[in-house]
Amino acid sequence: MSNTVLLAIDGSRGSDRALTHVRKRAELGGAKVVVAYVIEWSPYSFNTPEENAERHSRRETEISRATTSVVEPALTYLTEGGIDVESLVRHGPPSETLIKIAEEVGAAQIVIGRRGESGLKSLIFGSVAGNLIQTSPVPVMVVP
Amino acid sequence: MTRIFYALLALLFVALPAQAGIDDTINDITAPIASFIGTVVFFKVPFAGAQLPLVVLWLVVGAVFFTVYLGFVNIRGFKHAIQLVRGDYADPNSSGEVSHFQALATAVSGTVGIGNIGGVAVAVTVGGAGATFWLIVAGFLGMSTKFVECTLGVKYRTENPDGSVSGGPMYYLRKGFEERGMAGFGKFMGTFYAVGIFIGALGIGNMFQSNQAYVQLNTVAGGALDGYGWLVGLILAALVFAVIIGGIKSIARVTEKVVPFMAIFYCFFAIIVILMNLTSIPQAIANIFTGAFTGEGVAGGALGALIIGFQRAVFSNEAGIGSASIAHSAVKTAEPVTEGYVSLLEPFIDTILICTITALVIGTSQVADPNFANGAQGVAMTSAAFERQLSWFPLPLAFAALLFAFSTMISWSYYGLKGWTYLFGEGERGQTIYKLIFCAFVALGCVVQLGPILDISDALVFLIAVPNILGLYFLAPLVRAEMNAYMARLKSGEIKKFKN
């Protein structure tokens, strides 16, 4: 069985807790960690012509911002613990994209922090962790 | 600053009653100019008892030629177009880039405007029920013209140093001719088009839209806004100003997201009205067909109906004008021809679906009660047709019309600006000047009568079609070769689906 863990991060406090948790577990069990940052995006949205024309450069900015401010610090933190790491930044619908990545890298588990949003807010915006639990083909660990 | 603003506002309202006659004055000044431009561009030749404007002939011949030359790509490519829009062939590695769906949606919301509501009514009034038939035929043929335009738009787009993309006829005319060893001519054509689009944007995508939005608002207000077109115009202009100059992009973003739902809402209730006129449907359809070939009661007979149908169809779906190719060229794809396929759907949605639905709403109402409109024209006529069955509908219709008009104006301000920057560069000051002119015309549109506006808008639009279609003829072999090569690779399985 693969010993790869997919860690989904977004720079939130919940995702920081998940990061800490994954480092502890990986140090004990020697797992490989794939860090993924999914930038929420849908190919079926409606945009102005201007937004479309600038989309390509906007995408690059989004990726580099996610990489430098969230992904790289996480990689450094995990490497410090002597963990074998890899990273990915991708656009897409969050839970679907995470599942796709999990399949691509052959992850045995997905770890995600939770935002702890309840009630109305999660009803409107949905919850990535909640969706993952319902749809993921591999076990999902939600770090509180 | 705020105090000055309020003072001005107060002054405006004090001046209101005194200025009610302002509309008439402006209208008197502009009408002769409009009819002059109209006569020059709409150079008409007497043909089989009708007056045939040469530009309309130019568009029809072009559309027929592209349809035949590309082997009825408008039918054969339809299924593939839907697969592409659905994202079946979308490379996951380009997620986050402009998808086929997004490029199409943006282009459609630029084309779905007042033309779909008010323009159709104009067609039926002037060209009789038969004009509807030719409107649909024009939409069908226009799909092929769009295919050529949008393939070229993507193929010859320019990627700017800042990573943004600029495309459209001015680029494919220049680069396309350059490739064929006619650099000088290409430069001339590109410039010709750019001039055409930045002036043309002031008509079809501007004055006509604000005019009809005002008319519908006035209808709903029961005529309370009579003579206050200038005020409505100023408010609309201020909104457009806020978006394109004030940089309040959120307004545009919200509009862009609401428009598709409004279009669905509009079609939904239109179908309900048609169903409520159930007993009139057979007669309405019969009228469309007999009118198309006999041209009963229409000046110029069947040919008259055909001319009007084509004119209004192009006005609505913009095939042959090249404007949509500017919006389509933002797509992320390695195969320019894929965007050509996707663009086929644009005249289909705009003309064959939405315009036909409007035409049926009007047609069935006419059968049930020939005087339902009470002499109302344009969008007011469509509104009356809805009102016959759904008395509350004019209000949401006014809202929809306003949104359609607004999103079309925003899109066209962008198209016009692209023409402007092609000519004068990206300089900030120049862009602001153009945007200010654009806003001024928004206001003007609410003041001038529909007749002169249509004259000016039609004339300007068709003027852009001249360099564009001329270029399309020259570059069509290239599009055909590209289409055939792509189809071959698709059949051999070299181009794979990413989704099943």
Side-chain angles (χ1 to χ4, degrees):
Chain A
M1 192 181 159
S2 121
N3 197 18
T4 303
V5 172
L6 175 64
L7 170 64
I9 57 169
D10 63 358
S12 68
R13 252 183 272 159
S15 106
D16 286 345
R17 289 193 294 270
L19 177 66
T20 325
H21 180 79
V22 162
R23 173 167 162 178
K24 271 190 224 148
R25 306 303 301 175
E27 278 173 356
L28 291 173
K32 181 190 169 183
V33 178
V34 176
V35 177
Y37 188 119
V38 178
I39 301 165
E40 188 156 10
W41 176 82
S42 160
Y44 306 114
S45 64
F46 302 102
N47 308 321
T48 61
E50 218 170 345
E51 280 178 292
N52 280 351
E54 289 164 359
R55 185 62 221 159
H56 180 70
S57 45
R58 181 86 39 92
R59 176 181 185 260
E60 312 270 286
T61 325
E62 285 166 359
I63 293 175
S64 73
R65 196 186 299 146
T67 311
T68 49
S69 65
V70 182
V71 177
E72 275 168 6
L75 287 184
T76 325
Y77 176 72
L78 291 171
T79 331
E80 278 167 8
I83 299 159
D84 182 10
V85 286
E86 204 181 287
S87 74
L88 276 164
V89 178
R90 208 175 276 178
H91 282 80
S95 50
E96 272 173 55
T97 311
L98 285 171
I99 289 171
K100 225 179 263 169
I101 296 171
E103 281 164 354
E104 278 168 29
V105 301
Q109 188 187 32
I110 302 176
V111 181
I112 187 167
R114 83 170 180 212
R115 292 230 167 161
E117 278 159 2
S118 59
L120 194 65
K121 223 171 171 184
S122 69
L123 197 71
I124 296 171
F125 299 105
S127 149
V128 180
N131 275 334
L132 266 183
I133 291 169
Q134 297 293 340
T135 52
S136 171
V138 293
V140 178
M141 176 187 277
V142 180
V143 180
Chain B
M1 194 59 199
T2 37
R3 217 176 281 171
I4 297 172
F5 176 74
Y6 284 122
L8 281 175
L9 203 68
L11 201 68
L12 203 65
F13 280 100
V14 173
L16 271 184
Q19 299 300 319
I22 207 169
D23 284 15
D24 294 332
T25 323
I26 297 181
N27 198 40
D28 288 346
I29 300 169
T30 46
I33 305 174
S35 69
F36 174 72
I37 299 179
T39 1
V40 174
V41 178
F42 273 104
F43 179 64
K44 291 171 183 161
V45 282
F47 180 81
Q51 292 287 316
L52 179 62
L54 284 180
V55 247
V56 175
L57 186 70
W58 175 246
L59 285 162
V60 179
V61 171
V64 171
F65 172 77
F66 298 126
T67 304
V68 175
Y69 185 70
L70 297 171
F72 286 87
V73 65
N74 44 0
I75 301 174
R76 287 192 307 137
F78 198 81
K79 190 179 156 206
H80 189 55
I82 290 176
Q83 291 173 329
L84 285 165
V85 172
R86 243 184 0 209
D88 290 3
Y89 292 88
D91 181 354
N93 287 325
S94 56
S95 65
E97 303 273 12
V98 178
S99 67
H100 282 302
F101 178 91
Q102 286 166 336
L104 177 70
T106 305
V108 168
S109 84
T111 54
V112 173
I114 297 278
N116 298 68
I117 306 176
V120 177
V122 174
V124 176
T125 317
V126 187
T132 310
F133 177 83
W134 297 112
L135 190 99
I136 298 170
V137 172
F140 172 71
L141 295 171
M143 290 165 78
S144 309
T145 314
K146 277 265 159 122
F147 177 86
V148 182
E149 279 174 358
C150 294
T151 304
L152 291 171
V154 175
K155 188 167 169 62
Y156 291 110
R157 62 185 165 188
T158 296
E159 272 162 47
N160 304 316
D162 65 352
S164 65
V165 227
S166 300
M170 45 282 190
Y171 294 94
Y172 62 66
L173 289 170
R174 175 162 58 89
K175 295 185 188 170
F177 280 108
E178 208 173 79
E179 269 187 16
R180 314 201 119 214
M182 299 155 81
F185 187 59
K187 218 175 209 173
F188 167 74
M189 296 284 280
T191 308
F192 186 178
Y193 185 86
V195 172
I197 188 102
F198 95 67
I199 300 175
L202 303 174
I204 182 181
N206 185 330
M207 287 201 289
F208 177 64
Q209 307 290 333
S210 64
N211 175 281
Q212 291 288 282
Y214 159 66
V215 169
Q216 180 57 17
L217 279 177
N218 195 16
T219 309
V220 173
L225 294 170
D226 272 339
Y228 291 110
W230 61 274
L231 183 64
V232 176
L234 281 181
I235 295 170
L236 277 178
L239 281 171
V240 174
F241 181 92
V243 174
I244 65 176
I245 301 179
I248 308 178
K249 302 255 167 66
S250 49
I251 303 179
R253 258 177 241 145
V254 171
T255 322
E256 205 72 25
K257 281 162 189 70
V258 179
V259 161
F261 295 102
M262 286 312 282
I264 293 167
F265 168 85
Y266 174 78
C267 290
F268 178 77
F269 282 101
I271 290 168
I272 287 184
V273 169
I274 296 169
L275 290 177
M276 287 169 89
N277 295 339
L278 193 67
T279 49
S280 309
I281 297 176
Q283 186 58 44
I285 293 177
N287 285 350
I288 290 175
F289 281 96
T290 47
F293 299 103
T294 61
E296 227 172 301
V298 177
L303 192 64
L306 181 145
I307 294 167
I308 297 298
F310 261 81
Q311 214 169 324
R312 294 275 72 82
V314 174
F315 201 90
S316 172
N317 67 36
E318 301 168 18
I321 300 171
S323 48
S325 133
I326 299 176
H328 278 283
S329 54
V331 75
K332 171 75 182 178
T333 177
E335 304 282 352
V337 79
T338 54
E339 197 54 29
Y341 280 108
V342 168
S343 71
L344 286 178
L345 299 174
E346 210 189 304
F348 181 80
I349 297 170
D350 179 275
T351 309
I352 300 182
L353 287 183
I354 306 184
C355 285
T356 308
I357 288 175
T358 305
L360 279 175
V361 168
I362 298 173
T364 50
S365 305
Q366 241 161 3
V367 170
D369 173 11
N371 292 320
F372 76 96
N374 229 339
Q377 279 183 323
V379 69
M381 183 186 192
T382 313
S383 176
F386 274 98
E387 200 178 357
R388 253 192 86 246
Q389 296 291 7
L390 307 169
S391 58
W392 52 272
F393 201 76
L395 191 64
L397 183 67
F399 184 63
L402 206 59
L403 272 173
F404 286 167
F406 192 70
S407 78
T408 303
M409 288 192 285
I410 299 295
S411 295
W412 272 87
S413 74
Y414 180 76
Y415 298 158
L417 193 65
K418 284 282 145 183
W420 176 277
T421 53
Y422 177 87
L423 292 170
F424 305 112
E426 303 279 335
E428 282 294 324
R429 195 186 295 173
Q431 292 197 32
T432 310
I433 293 174
Y434 179 74
K435 289 170 178 172
L436 282 172
I437 298 173
F438 194 88
C439 291
F441 274 79
V442 171
L444 199 61
C446 296
V447 181
V448 184
Q449 296 288 321
L450 178 62
I453 288 202
L454 277 175
D455 283 346
I456 298 188
S457 307
D458 280 349
L460 293 176
V461 154
F462 289 117
L463 204 60
I464 331 174
V466 172
N468 186 43
I469 294 194
L470 185 65
L472 296 185
Y473 281 123
F474 274 88
L475 303 170
L478 207 128
V479 174
R480 184 159 85 163
E482 195 131 327
M483 177 185 84
N484 290 338
Y486 175 80
M487 270 297 151
R489 275 180 294 147
L490 194 69
K491 267 199 187 123
S492 73
E494 194 186 317
I495 293 170
K496 282 192 195 76
K497 270 192 186 185
F498 284 96
K499 250 193 241 168
N500 290 312

